[in-house]
Amino acid sequence: MKARVHAVAGILALTLISLFFTASVTVELVGTERAVSIVKTSIVVALFVLVPSMMAAGGTGRSLAQGRTAPMLRRKQRRTAVAGAIGLAVLVPCAITLQSLAAKGDFGTPFVVLQAVELVGGAVNITLLGLNARDGRLLSGATRRRRREAAATTARL
């Protein structure tokens, strides 16, 4: 059960960050200032789902890793710590500030610079969490099981 909660929380976090990134890029390229403001407000509201999902993924991951010392597991833990730090120190403050600026209609240089910082931080977190998802599948044996099942199905045909 703990492994399933971990996987769902991690996938939810990765999905939300990817959605935030995609929505921000899309609305900046083709949206109106009002659309930018709506996206920025939606992201801030969705932080109330993202932050707990990141905490759940981190907490269950720490619990699942207890007593294990595999190098892949240590890399996964380091990536999680970096992603969490980027999220709390960069992405959350950027999201809140960008929403505030957008709500005032202030799309000047501070907005553009913060938006760039947020996009870079988001891209780094998407990469880190994506690598963690891949390694989590490898650590759980899900990939090996699927290959064995596929081979067994093929052999029966």
Side-chain angles (χ1 to χ4, degrees):
M1 179 68 165
K2 195 183 309 179
R4 190 168 300 263
V5 169
H6 178 70
V8 169
I11 290 168
L12 178 60
L14 177 57
T15 301
L16 286 171
I17 293 169
S18 297
L19 285 171
F20 296 171
F21 184 90
T22 303
S24 292
V25 169
T26 302
V27 77
E28 286 295 332
L29 292 175
V30 298
T32 63
E33 288 182 355
R34 175 146 167 66
V36 171
S37 184
I38 290 168
V39 166
K40 294 304 170 190
T41 298
S42 299
I43 289 171
V44 170
V45 170
L47 289 175
F48 290 99
V49 176
L50 175 62
V51 172
S53 72
M54 290 285 290
M55 292 171 59
T60 55
R62 190 174 306 111
S63 177
L64 288 166
Q66 205 165 27
R68 295 173 67 188
T69 60
M72 186 184 299
L73 192 59
R74 284 193 301 259
R75 283 191 305 269
K76 197 170 181 234
Q77 290 169 328
R78 282 193 302 270
R79 286 191 299 254
T80 300
V82 171
I86 290 170
L88 290 176
V90 177
L91 296 177
V92 169
C94 278
I96 293 168
T97 304
L98 286 167
Q99 187 279 327
S100 176
L101 290 171
K104 295 177 198 168
D106 184 357
F107 297 99
T109 302
F111 184 91
V112 172
V113 170
L114 279 176
Q115 182 66 71
V117 169
E118 184 184 51
L119 290 174
V120 169
V124 170
N125 268 9
I126 290 166
T127 301
L128 294 172
L129 296 176
L131 291 169
N132 275 2
R134 178 204 63 194
D135 288 353
R137 289 184 50 78
L138 292 171
L139 285 166
S140 73
T143 302
R144 287 187 300 274
R145 275 194 304 275
R146 289 222 168 112
R147 284 186 188 145
R148 276 196 306 266
E149 290 168 3
T153 302
T154 304
R156 280 184 262 161
L157 297 176

